[in-house]
Amino acid sequence: MLKILKCICFWLVFIGALNWGLVGFFGFDLVAFLLGDMTLWSRIVYGIIGIAAIIFAVLAFFFKGNCEEY
């Protein structure tokens, strides 16, 4: 179960990192483009990705393993 949670969090963090890369390099916020600038839905997406980053960091520190084991 923890491996699945870690894998889900990994992909959410990866998507968030890609979004920040788009913001940094091109000034294009994909989440804001798709869901609106700071609407309820975009804030939920940002929040989920932020929580996933925290969970992923904790699981990566305490639990070894990667998504390729499935």
Side-chain angles (χ1 to χ4, degrees), residues 16-57:
L18 286 177
N19 187 56
W20 277 110
L22 287 172
V23 170
F25 287 117
F26 305 111
F28 178 73
D29 188 349
L30 184 61
V31 174
F33 176 75
L34 294 175
L35 301 174
D37 190 25
M38 282 299 150
T39 63
L40 176 63
W41 290 110
S42 65
R43 292 172 61 113
I44 289 171
V45 168
Y46 289 130
I48 289 172
I49 291 174
I51 291 169
I54 293 168
I55 292 171
F56 182 72

Side-chain angles (χ1 to χ4, degrees), residues 5 15 17 30 32 40 57 64:
L5 179 62
I15 291 167
L30 184 61
L40 176 63
K64 305 299 182 215

Side-chain angles (χ1 to χ4, degrees), residues 9-20:
C9 289
F10 169 80
W11 285 108
L12 287 171
V13 170
F14 182 77
I15 291 167
L18 286 177
N19 187 56
W20 277 110

